[in-house]
Amino acid sequence: MGLLVGREREDASAGHAVALGPYTYLPAPVRSPSGVNGTLSRGGSPVALKATESLLRDFLDAMSALEADLARRWVGSDGRPVFSRPE
């Protein structure tokens, strides 16, 4: 499962919180009005992400893609060594 699972991102009512170190990111629903933003909070103090939410979403999407690719490669290795060994 990635950071922001595609099914949850497509559901307009989904509010899938993501832990980012000591912070929690709660994205705005995908089909929300333009004035609605996600929030980043730490210790119960939320901050609305006005200018940076799209950047954070893009970053998390990229990290999810990397995570999925790594998982696919890891499972697909079937016991083969990742690096070729000199004989």
Side-chain angles (χ1 to χ4, degrees), residues 12-13 27-38 49-50 53 57:
S13 63
V30 174
R31 295 181 194 98
S32 63
S34 62
V36 176
N37 298 309
L49 301 173
K50 295 179 182 177
E53 183 172 23
R57 278 188 184 232

Side-chain angles (χ1 to χ4, degrees), residues 18 22 27 33 42-44 48 67 69 79 83:
V18 178
R42 180 177 183 182
E67 180 184 25
D69 185 53
F83 303 103

Side-chain angles (χ1 to χ4, degrees), residues 11 45 57 62 64 74-75 81 87:
D11 181 3
S45 300
R57 278 188 184 232
S64 291
W74 188 271
V75 171
E87 298 190 25

Side-chain angles (χ1 to χ4, degrees), residues 71-85:
R72 180 185 54 80
R73 291 176 187 223
W74 188 271
V75 171
S77 67
D78 294 332
R80 293 174 295 178
V82 177
F83 303 103
S84 61
R85 295 183 183 185

